[in-house]
Amino acid sequence: MAPHNSSQRYLSTRGGSYGLSFEEVVLKGLASDGGLFIPEEIPALPEDWSAKWPSLSFADLAHEVLSLYISPSEIPPEDLKDIIRRSYATFRVPEITPLISLDEKKSLHLLELFHGPTFAFKDVALQFLGNLFEYFLVRRNRVQNQGRRHHLTVIGATSGDTGSAAIYGLRGKRDVSVFILHPKGKISPIQEAQMTTVLDTNVHNLAVEGTFDDCQDMVKALFADPGINATHNLAAVNSINWARILAQITYYFHSYFSFQRSPCWQEGDKVRFVVPTGNFGDILAGYFAKRMGLPMDKLVIATNENDILDRFWKTGFYEKHAVHGREAEGGLPSDGAKAHSSGVKETLSPAMDILVSSNFERLLWLLAHDGISDRDNKSRGAEAGKYVAAKLDQLKTKGGFGVDGVMALAAAEDFESERVSDEQTVQTIRQFYHASGNGTTPHDRYILDPHSAIGVAASLRSIARSPKGTHHISLATAHPAKFANAVDTALKHETGYIFADILPEEFVGLEVKEKRVRVVKAAEGWEGVRAIIEEDVARELRSASETI
C-alpha cells in the first residue's frame, strides 16, 4: 500500500503530538496536550483537477478531496467510496448541497446545506463521521481474536443542532454508544423531539437539570476522569473533530463548480463565500479549500452579537467579552436561547452563541507556521505549536490575547468580517420574504432561518464594497423550521405567511411520538452521568455478546 504523505499525517496545534494517522485523530478527537489535530501540510490540488472535477457528483468529488487527506493504506479507495456513498444516501436531494440564485441582480447565491436527515448543515459532516467510526471499529474487532471488543463511547453536550445531527449520524452503528446531554426544558421542542424520538438501543438522551454550561462541564469532567477512561474508549463529535472539518471542504468545491455551470458565470468572475459562524469550523473548511487552490476572492465571516471573531479581524485582539444580566438577555427561549453558557449574549441565532470559537486555534497555528521561515517543516510546526499554546494560555488566564501587525495582515488577506444584530437578522428575513425567490417555498417567497439570514446580511454589505464581476455564495446552514419562533417573529404580520406551509413532513407530529430520555437531577452531578454511562454501555455489550 502507498505510504502516508505529509497531508495524510497529523499533528497537534499545541506541539505535543506528531505523525498521527487519520484513524488515530478521528477516534481521539482531541490531542493529549489539549490541542486540535491538523494535517502536517495542506495538499495542493492535482494538475488535472480543473478538467476532471467539475463534472463529478457530490459523492465522487468528496472521494477526490478526502483522498488527499486519507492514505489508501488506511482506507482503501473502494471502502472510502462506500463510506461516502452511504453517508450521503440519507440526503433528500441528489445534489446533496444545491446552489440557488437568491438575487441575480446582486449576484447573490445561496448554498443550501440543510437537506440532510436533521435539516442542518452539520449532517454533511456527522453522517460521514458516524460511518467512519463504525468502519474503524468493525475493522478493529474483526482482527481481534480474544479479549474485550473495541467499543466507542461517544459523549457530547448540545444546545440543539449538534445533538440531533450526532444522534442521526450514529444511530444503529455497531460498537458505538452515544450519550447526548442537553439542558432540560431549555432547547426548542423540535430539536428536543428530533433527539428523544430516536429509539435505537445505542442512543441515550440525558436531560440535565441546569444549563448548557452544566452539560459541558459534565462532559469535560468525564473526559478528565481516569476511572472511566480506563474502562471506556471515549470520543467526541463536536467541531473539534478533524473529520468534521474535512467533510465540509467538499461543498466549497461542489458549489464553485455548480456556479461555473450556471448562466451567471463569466470567465474572470470572482467568488466570495460568506459563512455564518460561531465556532469557526464551517468557514475553516472553506479556508482549507482556498489554501488547496480553489480560486475564491475572500471568505467573509458573519457573526451575530457574540462577535469575538469580528472583533479580532477589526482590532487584532482575540478577547472574551462576557455579558450578564439585562445586557445578556435576548433571543427566544423557545428556540434555545436560554440554554447557553453564562456570559453569552442570547440571540435569535442560538447555534452561534459562543464566547470563544474553538476552531480558531487551527487558523492561529497555520498563521504562525506561515510566519516562520528558515527552518524545516517539523521545526516550524513545533515553533507554531509553542506559539499557539502560549496564546491559549493567555486566553485562559487573562481573557484574551493580541497578535502582531504582520499576522493581523496575513489574516486579512483571506478573510473579512461582519457583525449582524438581531434586528438586522429580522429585517433580512423580511426583505427576502418580500422578494421573489427561486427556492421551493410557499407563495414563491424564500424564507431564511436566522443563522442563514446573518450570512445574507453580511453578503449584502460585502456586495456594496466589491467590484463588478464579484459573486457571493452565502451558506444557508439550517431549514427555517428548525428555528420556528425566530421566523415567526420576523414574518407573523406578513400577508399570506403561514408557517405550517413550510413545515417539513418529517416534523409533523414529531413532538407526540414515543420518546426515550433520562433526566439527570442537578444533585447527581457528573458522577451520576458516569454511573448511567457505565450501566447502559455494560447492558449494550452484554446484548451484543449474546447476538455474536
Side-chain angles (χ1 to χ4, degrees), residues 210-227:
T211 67
F212 176 63
D213 228 7
D214 297 320
C215 297
Q216 285 273 55
D217 288 344
M218 288 177 175
V219 170
K220 290 175 183 176
L222 289 162
F223 274 94
D225 175 46

Side-chain angles (χ1 to χ4, degrees), residues 36-37 239-240 242 284 359-366:
L36 307 184
F37 292 118
S239 61
I240 63 171
W242 164 248
L284 184 70
N359 278 290
F360 182 76
E361 180 172 339
R362 286 183 163 115
L363 177 68
L364 191 63
W365 186 92
L366 289 166

